[in-house]
Amino acid sequence: MNAFIQGLPKVELHLHIEGSLEPELLFKLAQRNTLSLPYSSPEELRKAYEFDDLQSFLDIYYQGANALQTEQDFFDLTWAYLERCHRDNVIHTEVFFDPQTHTDRGIPFDVVINGIDRALQQGHSELGISSQLIMCFLRHLSEEAAIATLEAALPFKDKIIGVGLDSSEQGHPPEKFARVFKMAQQEGFLTVAHAGEEGPAQNIVDSIEMLGISRIDHGVRCVESDALMRELIESQMPLTVCPLSNIKLKVFDKMEDHNIVELLRKGLAVTINSDDPAYFGGYMTDNFLAVSDAHKMSHREIAQFTLNAINASFIDEALKEEYKNKVEEYLRTAV
Ligand code: HPA
Ligand code: ZN
């Protein structure tokens, strides 16, 4: 099963690029930018990655992002992630970035996006990985700040396919961002939102109704509403589930308790993703392996996660067909 999962073509739809900053690169960037860190080594930093909930993770994650300062830093960050994708047979990835985490520290928007975009272009030409970029608003910040971020993004519209919503779900419900999401849609952006990770099933319902989303990020608390479950099956609204993240942030106690396989078997359009792999203990292959170690599945069921992700992705129909054929071919030939 390990070899089957390793070789399976994969599509990632829920990855925060700042969450792929490994301690070793963080130390290298801190040195390059002459910053001092409150840890003596990457190993010591990695040991601090024990979280009680989403907020305890976010505090450390935003601290780590301070090491990112120049366009080259954002390039190096993104390139390291793409090399990791290549090893995991990730053929397409849709990457989140959090501009406010950087612009609030005085790093210009163009420094952030140009560094990330240059690496994504190179990932396509040198590694054959296709990609899209999604800009997230930080939900703990104000609506006005989100609107200002949307305005800052307009000159870079050709590089950004959609907008999303991340950071602290508790206390910052979807309706806070209904207006800015409407503005983003009027500018031609697609929309997604984190919902039902720590927050209730109602946040999923409200994100669908008020934010016009094409996908739900996480969404695992949908099981708390039978009506919502029926709607998700009927509409085939995709869920970008992040198994290792959910264990690290204690959304579930252990992988055996995770509901992703139950959701798959009930016919929801669930996908497997890594979220913040540098912090949560693994990239795409690790996430697939963790789920399949805890839940017995057939090859076809495992491959269904990739097929669902291809259908849920923001690529054109011709490329979707090409990628689905690649997965079917793999299923025919893999032993
Ligand atoms: N949830 C909310 N915000 C985030 C996450 C997450 O899993 N990762 C990075 N920002
Ligand atoms: Zn996330």
Side-chain angles (χ1 to χ4, degrees):
M1 195 54 90
N2 287 13
F4 175 80
I5 286 176
Q6 169 57 38
L8 176 71
K10 301 174 191 73
V11 166
E12 173 136 79
L13 302 178
H14 185 156
L15 175 281
H16 303 264
I17 198 64
E18 295 89 349
S20 71
L21 178 55
E22 291 286 345
E24 288 74 16
L25 181 57
L26 198 156
F27 264 73
K28 194 175 127 186
L29 298 183
Q31 195 173 35
R32 191 151 95 187
N33 296 322
T34 59
L35 303 169
S36 63
L37 295 172
Y39 301 94
S40 64
S41 66
E43 294 72 33
E44 194 189 317
L45 175 57
R46 193 168 269 119
K47 284 203 191 99
Y49 292 173
E50 289 298 330
F51 313 113
D52 298 322
D53 53 17
L54 175 59
Q55 194 57 51
S56 63
F57 154 69
L58 290 170
D59 295 342
I60 290 199
Y61 162 83
Y62 293 131
Q63 205 179 64
N66 289 335
L68 295 158
Q69 305 209 336
T70 66
E71 186 182 314
Q72 188 63 39
D73 296 346
F74 286 95
F75 175 89
D76 290 349
L77 170 73
T78 309
W79 186 249
Y81 164 66
L82 290 165
E83 285 189 315
R84 209 51 198 69
C85 282
H86 192 55
R87 275 167 45 201
D88 281 6
N89 285 303
V90 172
I91 54 175
H92 176 75
T93 180
E94 304 198 347
V95 171
F96 292 135
F97 74 118
D98 288 341
Q100 290 160 296
T101 300
H102 314 298
T103 52
D104 281 5
R105 302 181 283 122
I107 314 288
F109 193 100
D110 66 317
V111 165
V112 179
I113 195 162
N114 288 338
I116 297 171
D117 179 66
R118 185 157 56 87
L120 294 178
Q121 300 299 332
Q122 192 172 316
H124 192 226
S125 59
E126 290 186 12
L127 305 174
I129 300 172
S130 56
S131 57
Q132 298 284 8
L133 196 50
I134 299 170
M135 170 175 92
C136 286
F137 302 121
L138 297 181
R139 65 201 306 159
H140 67 275
L141 299 179
S142 68
E143 180 193 32
E144 299 81 67
I147 293 171
T149 303
L150 178 63
E151 281 164 3
L154 293 181
F156 304 95
K157 227 169 159 177
D158 60 323
K159 299 187 189 326
I160 303 172
I161 189 89
V163 302
L165 194 57
D166 65 2
S167 188
S168 323
E169 188 179 356
Q170 307 275 25
H172 303 284
E175 58 261 35
K176 180 174 165 187
F177 296 93
R179 278 191 296 196
V180 67
F181 266 58
K182 177 71 74 191
M183 292 165 71
Q185 285 181 313
Q186 282 164 353
E187 292 290 350
F189 294 103
L190 297 171
T191 64
V192 298
H194 283 55
E197 176 187 21
E198 278 196 341
Q202 190 60 40
N203 278 1
I204 302 173
V205 175
D206 291 345
S207 297
I208 295 169
E209 289 178 0
M210 298 182 190
L211 305 180
I213 54 173
S214 303
R215 303 195 289 249
I216 298 156
D217 297 314
H218 293 295
V220 290
R221 286 190 59 186
C222 63
V223 288
E224 292 166 19
S225 161
D226 290 343
L228 176 59
M229 286 290 281
R230 282 194 296 275
E231 186 192 329
L232 294 176
I233 294 164
E234 164 81 20
S235 65
Q236 287 293 292
M237 169 68 75
L239 265 58
T240 65
V241 179
C242 307
L244 286 172
S245 163
N246 293 154
I247 303 306
K248 271 292 209 185
L249 301 187
K250 303 193 177 2
V251 175
F252 298 93
D253 289 337
K254 51 187 192 305
M255 200 57 86
E256 286 75 13
D257 298 338
H258 202 293
N259 61 15
I260 186 166
V261 178
E262 175 195 339
L263 297 178
L264 180 80
R265 290 181 178 154
K266 285 191 166 146
L268 278 82
V270 282
T271 65
I272 291 183
N273 307 272
S274 72
D275 207 4
D276 302 283
Y279 294 89
F280 299 151
Y283 289 77
M284 284 293 273
T285 296
D286 305 307
N287 272 275
F288 271 80
L289 286 173
V291 173
S292 104
D293 282 350
H295 303 266
K296 197 170 158 38
M297 281 182 288
S298 65
H299 284 185
R300 166 63 60 184
E301 283 180 312
I302 294 170
Q304 192 62 43
F305 289 116
T306 297
L307 293 169
N308 288 349
I310 295 167
N311 284 328
S313 70
F314 296 150
I315 55 183
D316 64 35
E317 288 304 317
L319 193 54
K320 283 187 185 182
E321 276 312 303
E322 183 186 323
Y323 285 164
K324 282 191 267 190
N325 289 338
K326 208 186 251 279
V327 175
E328 293 295 347
E329 175 66 19
Y330 183 75
L331 268 172
R332 273 194 296 277
T333 54
V335 282

